[in-house]
Amino acid sequence: MSLLSTVQGPADLRRLSPAELGQLADEIREFLVDAVTRTGGHLGPNLGVVELTIALHRVFDSPYDRILWDTGHQSYVHKLLTGRQDFSRLRMQGGLSGYPSRAESEHDVIENSHASTALGYADGLAKAHQLLGTPGRHTVAVIGDGALTGGMAWEALNNIAEASDRPLVIVVNDNERSYARTIGGLAHHLATLRTTQGYERFLALGKEALQRTPLVGQPLFDALHGAKKGFKDAFTPQGMFEDLGLKYLGPIDGHDLGAMEQALRQARGFGGPVIVHCLTVKGRGYRPAEQDEADRFHAVGAMDPYTCLPVSPSAGVSWTSVFGGELRALGAERPDLVAITAAMLQPVGLAEFAAAYPERTFDVGIAEQHAVASAAGLATGGLHPVVAVYATFLNRAFDQVLMDVALHRLGVTFVLDRAGVTGNDGASHNGMWDMSILQVVPGLRLAAPRDADQLRAQLREAVEVADGPTVVRFPKGDLGPAVPALERIGGVDVLQRTGPTPEILLVAVGAMAPACLDAAALLLAEGFSCTVVDPRWVKPVDPALPELAAAHRLVVTVEDNGRAGGVGSAIAQAMRDAGVDVPLRDLGIPQEFLDHAGRGELMEEIGLTGTGVAAQTAVFAKHLLPTRGANQHHAG
């Protein structure tokens, strides 16, 4: 029997000897490589926090003590140590979430998965414990050096430092990376803490002293780690943390269980806010991950753990790669184009542009608000920025889009990857709010391309706009075949007509075009003829759409966005403004947080497949049209 199988909760860890703990760490890494390469998931981050997580659960009493994981993609080891060892359906429908999940365990406090938020939660939790009279209840926040580049983290630190008697432990998991290497002033400061001359001698002295001293009192704590500025600065200049009023422990070898436990026990006993700075290696113990310079196997698909080749290689071309290639081509034509991202250079397809034009590429770290404000400055200075982020992450910078870009009528293009249902990463990663949130921004133009040709064309149209923000959004995954247009009316592409006098206008938003074409064929078999159109630019609503609607008896809009305030709502408003009194029904993502599952499974579940669209549209037509389909003779 493996040691791991005997650990069903944190209490089981406390009976293990040092040798057994080392064996457990090895077993966890073997388990992770085997399990995650079968299903896909976040591999590198979890391999790097094995000893850190064991130490946390040996020192703190979860769930009474609250352990918070910033971002949460590094919580697999935490799941294993809290009784969740069935990873057979990790990130699949009915299986474990890839992030902390309060529905799974009382040990999961927050399921945030958007970075830089855990310190704010921790500040509030620690205050709540103090106000409710549980001063001995500890709050522990684990945050990566990459997440510390987010402004929210520093806003929280400013408040955390205010109360010197509030027990709160901040574990900085410093692996020098988010996806790629952490950049910026913070990264330089942490690098200084790691590499200052005398650092190795300092660590050796500290370890030796701790081993010789059975009971480590406050004087030794002060001498080694905290209050005596002269001694401390002789080894590591920690001014940034000290100036905030926070005690500092470290740097600690995050793979040395004894050192980690000792540091965490000291922090727990201090009684106030303490930063424990631990150094870890992303991908630790799995050589292919350690040698992967791009992202240390941050997230992998199902693959062979020995060859690292995908189990099911993609035969298609991704939306992301088409965008990346076209932006690089545009960069050669437009020396004023610059690219900005928030710690996601590779995932959003900017690697090609960055390789060709490094001086015109800016990765600002996990700081979406700053990315947009900085883009506003670049545009004010005469450049045209292209800000590429996941759709779900633009939510964080809405005020900057509204007040810093749109208000100033600046030419900034936002490219939103992973729009619509993304699936396996769960509720926080579905890009289902962008087309609703952005509808309220004056002067903003929003494009939803349906295929690769339209993505290239609409990206080019977007960067030509100099008097306001433009947005181009597309889903996760591979592209299907091109969807040609029969004709263009105004700015609207007519994709299909299934009868001489179509009754139903199907408005296919972006990537929903293939599903709507399939639905039109199914509806024809039910006796309903359709016109299928792609608006291309969904904001503002093209005047041709109300005119097309007036020539039909029913309008059905189909979008991979939340129904509340989305494209369907905007088209309904445009029809009312134009005096077009044709019934409209909108199909989209239900306004709820979707559980993790495959994208295809979720799209079928919410009715956004060809079959689902046809079935719902047929119901609308039978109830809303005075007579059943005018083309019933077509029915088979």
Side-chain angles (χ1 to χ4, degrees), residues 184-195:
L186 172 68
H188 294 312
H189 181 80
L190 293 176
T192 301
L193 295 182
R194 296 183 209 109
T195 59

Side-chain angles (χ1 to χ4, degrees), residues 8 65 71 113 119 126 156 204 219 229 234 270 278 291 318 351 368-369 415 461 500 569 578 582 589:
Q8 296 302 309
D65 292 331
T71 309
S113 71
L119 298 188
K229 181 175 174 63
F270 181 66
C278 62
Q291 294 179 340
S318 71
E368 290 85 0
Q369 291 174 297
V415 175
E461 292 168 25
S569 297
V582 174
I589 302 172

Side-chain angles (χ1 to χ4, degrees), residues 31-49:
F31 178 96
L32 289 172
V33 171
D34 179 68
V36 179
T37 57
R38 289 175 188 271
T39 62
H42 290 97
L43 182 56
N46 288 286
L47 291 171
V49 297

Side-chain angles (χ1 to χ4, degrees), residues 283-365:
R284 171 86 169 198
Y286 182 42
R287 187 173 296 276
E290 291 184 6
Q291 294 179 340
D292 178 49
E293 188 55 33
D295 66 3
R296 301 285 175 89
F297 284 18
H298 179 87
V300 299
M303 69 179 192
D304 185 300
Y306 300 102
T307 66
C308 300
L309 295 174
V311 172
S312 301
S314 172
V317 177
S318 71
W319 291 88
T320 305
S321 64
V322 170
F323 157 65
E326 193 64 17
L327 187 66
R328 179 178 178 174
L330 278 165
E333 303 166 21
R334 293 271 303 265
D336 64 323
L337 278 186
V338 294
I340 303 174
T341 191
M344 305 191 83
L345 194 76
Q346 296 273 353
V348 297
L350 290 183
E352 281 191 58
F353 188 92
Y357 312 107
E359 74 286 354
R360 289 156 56 188
T361 306
F362 305 98
D363 183 344
V364 301

Side-chain angles (χ1 to χ4, degrees), residues 155-418:
E155 292 171 24
L157 283 171
N158 181 54
N159 279 268
I160 288 167
E162 184 182 22
S164 59
D165 62 341
R166 196 174 290 142
L168 197 162
V169 177
I170 300 165
V171 179
V172 176
N173 174 34
D174 180 5
N175 61 21
E176 306 180 56
R177 290 176 169 270
S178 47
Y179 277 85
R181 287 191 174 275
T182 307
I183 52 88
L186 172 68
H188 294 312
H189 181 80
L190 293 176
T192 301
L193 295 182
R194 296 183 209 109
T195 59
T196 298
Q197 186 176 12
Y199 160 63
E200 294 294 341
R201 177 162 47 87
F202 172 71
L203 280 188
L205 171 66
K207 188 171 183 179
E208 181 184 350
L210 293 174
Q211 288 173 340
R212 288 199 314 261
T213 310
L215 297 174
V216 180
Q218 187 68 35
L220 183 56
F221 176 86
D222 289 343
L224 289 179
H225 298 289
K228 295 185 179 178
K229 181 175 174 63
F231 179 85
K232 179 176 57 180
D233 285 349
F235 295 99
T236 52
Q238 300 160 44
M240 181 167 63
F241 294 119
E242 185 180 63
D243 289 347
L244 281 170
L246 294 164
K247 296 300 182 185
Y248 173 94
L249 275 162
I252 310 294
D253 180 353
H255 301 296
D256 183 331
L257 257 170
M260 276 305 310
E261 281 195 38
Q262 184 63 57
L264 291 173
R265 290 186 195 283
Q266 290 174 344
R268 185 188 66 183
F270 181 66
V274 181
I275 286 181
V276 179
H277 178 196
C278 62
L279 309 182
T280 63
V281 176
K282 191 174 182 178
R284 171 86 169 198
Y286 182 42
R287 187 173 296 276
E290 291 184 6
Q291 294 179 340
D292 178 49
E293 188 55 33
D295 66 3
R296 301 285 175 89
F297 284 18
H298 179 87
V300 299
M303 69 179 192
D304 185 300
Y306 300 102
T307 66
C308 300
L309 295 174
V311 172
S312 301
S314 172
V317 177
S318 71
W319 291 88
T320 305
S321 64
V322 170
F323 157 65
E326 193 64 17
L327 187 66
R328 179 178 178 174
L330 278 165
E333 303 166 21
R334 293 271 303 265
D336 64 323
L337 278 186
V338 294
I340 303 174
T341 191
M344 305 191 83
L345 194 76
Q346 296 273 353
V348 297
L350 290 183
E352 281 191 58
F353 188 92
Y357 312 107
E359 74 286 354
R360 289 156 56 188
T361 306
F362 305 98
D363 183 344
V364 301
I366 302 178
E368 290 85 0
Q369 291 174 297
H370 168 62
V372 177
S374 179
L378 285 161
T380 302
L383 299 170
H384 190 105
V386 176
V387 181
V389 294
Y390 285 4
T392 184
F393 295 139
L394 190 70
N395 303 353
R396 314 183 83 181
F398 171 75
D399 186 66
Q400 286 68 36
V401 173
L402 180 68
M403 293 298 176
D404 298 315
V405 177
L407 177 65
H408 295 85
R409 297 177 176 83
L410 296 172
V412 176
T413 295
F414 298 93
V415 175
L416 305 185
D417 201 327
R418 272 67 164 180

Side-chain angles (χ1 to χ4, degrees), residues 264-595:
L264 291 173
R265 290 186 195 283
Q266 290 174 344
R268 185 188 66 183
F270 181 66
V274 181
I275 286 181
V276 179
H277 178 196
C278 62
L279 309 182
T280 63
V281 176
K282 191 174 182 178
R284 171 86 169 198
Y286 182 42
R287 187 173 296 276
E290 291 184 6
Q291 294 179 340
D292 178 49
E293 188 55 33
D295 66 3
R296 301 285 175 89
F297 284 18
H298 179 87
V300 299
M303 69 179 192
D304 185 300
Y306 300 102
T307 66
C308 300
L309 295 174
V311 172
S312 301
S314 172
V317 177
S318 71
W319 291 88
T320 305
S321 64
V322 170
F323 157 65
E326 193 64 17
L327 187 66
R328 179 178 178 174
L330 278 165
E333 303 166 21
R334 293 271 303 265
D336 64 323
L337 278 186
V338 294
I340 303 174
T341 191
M344 305 191 83
L345 194 76
Q346 296 273 353
V348 297
L350 290 183
E352 281 191 58
F353 188 92
Y357 312 107
E359 74 286 354
R360 289 156 56 188
T361 306
F362 305 98
D363 183 344
V364 301
I366 302 178
E368 290 85 0
Q369 291 174 297
H370 168 62
V372 177
S374 179
L378 285 161
T380 302
L383 299 170
H384 190 105
V386 176
V387 181
V389 294
Y390 285 4
T392 184
F393 295 139
L394 190 70
N395 303 353
R396 314 183 83 181
F398 171 75
D399 186 66
Q400 286 68 36
V401 173
L402 180 68
M403 293 298 176
D404 298 315
V405 177
L407 177 65
H408 295 85
R409 297 177 176 83
L410 296 172
V412 176
T413 295
F414 298 93
V415 175
L416 305 185
D417 201 327
R418 272 67 164 180
V421 172
T422 57
N424 298 108
D425 279 326
S428 64
H429 276 57
N430 291 318
M432 56 177 280
W433 294 282
D434 58 300
M435 290 197 291
S436 298
I437 291 172
L438 296 173
Q439 286 293 340
V440 303
V441 179
L444 181 141
R445 302 162 174 85
L446 198 159
R450 66 180 180 267
D451 59 21
D453 293 341
Q454 288 302 305
L455 173 52
R456 295 185 185 99
Q458 290 180 271
L459 179 63
R460 287 180 172 271
E461 292 168 25
V463 298
E464 287 298 321
V465 176
D467 62 349
T470 53
V471 178
V472 180
R473 56 104 70 182
F474 50 80
K476 178 182 181 179
D478 292 342
L479 282 148
V483 181
L486 301 177
E487 64 175 315
R488 183 167 291 176
I489 299 175
V492 177
D493 279 354
V494 178
L495 306 182
Q496 191 178 66
R497 293 188 181 93
T498 60
T501 55
E503 298 174 293
I504 302 168
L505 180 65
L506 274 180
V507 182
V509 175
M512 299 312 301
C516 288
L517 292 172
D518 291 344
L522 293 169
L523 286 164
L524 184 61
E526 289 289 317
F528 296 105
S529 60
C530 298
T531 303
V532 181
V533 298
D534 169 15
R536 300 184 73 249
W537 289 85
V538 298
K539 176 178 165 44
V541 174
D542 194 293
L545 266 177
E547 294 177 14
L548 281 163
H552 293 77
R553 302 168 70 197
L554 170 66
V555 178
V556 178
T557 63
V558 186
E559 60 189 294
D560 53 344
N561 180 76
R563 292 179 60 216
V567 177
S569 297
I571 292 173
Q573 180 67 56
M575 288 169 58
R576 290 193 295 272
D577 291 347
V580 176
D581 192 21
V582 174
L584 180 146
R585 294 294 182 267
D586 56 332
L587 299 179
I589 302 172
Q591 220 67 43
E592 59 190 50
F593 293 112
L594 304 177
D595 289 336

Side-chain angles (χ1 to χ4, degrees), residues 11-237:
D12 294 328
L13 294 172
R14 300 181 192 114
R15 59 175 172 76
L16 300 180
S17 67
E20 288 174 319
L21 290 171
Q23 179 186 336
L24 177 64
D26 291 341
E27 288 184 11
I28 289 172
R29 286 196 169 89
E30 290 172 8
F31 178 96
L32 289 172
V33 171
D34 179 68
V36 179
T37 57
R38 289 175 188 271
T39 62
H42 290 97
L43 182 56
N46 288 286
L47 291 171
V49 297
V50 174
E51 291 84 4
L52 165 59
T53 309
I54 293 171
L56 280 168
H57 277 298
R58 277 172 56 84
V59 171
F60 294 96
D61 183 20
S62 177
Y64 182 75
D65 292 331
R66 317 302 287 274
I67 300 176
L68 316 180
W69 301 90
D70 194 274
T71 309
H73 57 233
Q74 77 283 47
S75 64
Y76 293 6
V77 184
H78 165 76
K79 288 176 185 270
L80 289 172
L81 299 180
T82 53
R84 290 167 281 173
Q85 297 183 7
D86 181 2
F87 274 46
S88 60
R89 294 190 59 78
L90 177 69
R91 300 168 71 247
M92 299 180 194
Q93 195 167 44
L96 290 177
S97 167
Y99 294 91
S101 168
R102 295 195 290 181
E104 286 179 9
S105 173
E106 62 181 345
H107 295 279
D108 291 2
V109 184
I110 53 173
E111 41 194 86
N112 48 335
S113 71
H114 281 195
S116 312
T117 58
L119 298 188
Y121 277 109
D123 177 52
L125 268 171
K127 288 172 178 172
H129 295 159
Q130 189 175 58
L131 287 169
L132 294 173
T134 53
R137 194 175 192 184
H138 289 83
T139 304
V140 184
V142 183
I143 185 167
D145 57 303
L148 275 179
T149 60
M152 282 183 66
W154 291 93
E155 292 171 24
L157 283 171
N158 181 54
N159 279 268
I160 288 167
E162 184 182 22
S164 59
D165 62 341
R166 196 174 290 142
L168 197 162
V169 177
I170 300 165
V171 179
V172 176
N173 174 34
D174 180 5
N175 61 21
E176 306 180 56
R177 290 176 169 270
S178 47
Y179 277 85
R181 287 191 174 275
T182 307
I183 52 88
L186 172 68
H188 294 312
H189 181 80
L190 293 176
T192 301
L193 295 182
R194 296 183 209 109
T195 59
T196 298
Q197 186 176 12
Y199 160 63
E200 294 294 341
R201 177 162 47 87
F202 172 71
L203 280 188
L205 171 66
K207 188 171 183 179
E208 181 184 350
L210 293 174
Q211 288 173 340
R212 288 199 314 261
T213 310
L215 297 174
V216 180
Q218 187 68 35
L220 183 56
F221 176 86
D222 289 343
L224 289 179
H225 298 289
K228 295 185 179 178
K229 181 175 174 63
F231 179 85
K232 179 176 57 180
D233 285 349
F235 295 99
T236 52

